[in-house]
Amino acid sequence: MMRIHLRVWRQAGPKAAGSFQLYTAENISANMSFLEMLDVVNEQLITKGQEPIAFDSDCREGICGTCGFLVDGRPHGPDACSTVCQLHMRRFKDGDTITLEPWRARAFPIVRDLIVDRSAFDRIIQAGGYTSVNTGGAPDANAIPIAKPIADAAFDSAQCIGCGACVAACKNASAALFTSAKITHLSLLPQGQVERTTRVLDMVERMDAEGFGMCSNEGECEAVCPKGISLTNIATMNREWWRALLKGRELIG
Ligand code: SF4
Ligand code: FES
């Protein structure tokens, strides 16, 4: 069993001033997940009549993208290719002090404590991260043959869970890795060809309008991405953007 000291960013609301508060978590098992440790701390705070620490989570299996905050300055904590819900207390030692902060980005305003508003990502997807479909019965799964290497490459990009760690790690608060993953995923597949040209123009325009910064090829996004989304997606997005620009929006049917 461990005693863990926590420095946690507490902020009552979007407009409230925030500050770090100190807490001590007692009797923490090395087998607990990080979020279970926070659950224990919150139960103790509630018992004492204090406000629990607000943080997001849903699946707690590393697949939904809901969780995420900075653990000692690193998005999702010290483990590579992992979400914070998959982080375990065995990664820490008895007596450690751990600092927890929300994602820091203008496009992700703080809602409360460790929770930020990531709806900017939803609006980027709404701008073009979809495919046209005909209404009617579902087509047979094998009606559109797709070569295995292309299906695999599309799947690699489709693994993005929209957590926002890439933005939090980037000194420019760029959303290029997130946006490019969806653009790359759909540009590779036959179903994504209908909106291929407008998609990249509209999603990049929305990304800029939301206040995310430019990509300057620092690579921090790739280093912290829990799904290992590669920087090559950004190169593909840039190629898609130039292709769309040269093709001309006015020529797009
Ligand atoms: S690219 Fe990676 S870090 Fe960025 S939102 Fe997707 S899964 Fe999260
Ligand atoms: S809670 Fe779903 S990825 Fe962490």
Side-chain angles (χ1 to χ4, degrees), residues 28 107 122 165 167 198 218 244 253:
I28 298 302
D122 298 334
V167 174
T198 52
E218 307 296 325

Side-chain angles (χ1 to χ4, degrees), residues 85-105:
C85 63
Q86 296 285 284
L87 178 63
H88 282 77
M89 294 311 295
R90 66 181 74 96
R91 231 14 199 91
F92 302 92
K93 299 191 305 296
D94 185 31
D96 273 357
T97 299
I98 309 170
T99 299
L100 308 184
E101 289 176 81
W103 292 163
R104 303 287 191 185

Side-chain angles (χ1 to χ4, degrees), residues 131 146 150-151 154-155 184-194:
T131 60
I146 299 170
I150 293 177
F155 184 74
T184 303
H185 161 209
L186 295 179
S187 75
L188 287 167
L189 297 174
Q191 296 93 328
Q193 299 310 305
V194 181

Side-chain angles (χ1 to χ4, degrees), residues 121 159-167 177-178 181 221 224-227 229:
F121 270 10
Q159 288 190 85
C160 168
I161 54 174
C163 64
C166 45
V167 174
L177 195 66
F178 164 79
C221 52
V224 301
C225 174
K227 297 298 161 186
I229 301 295

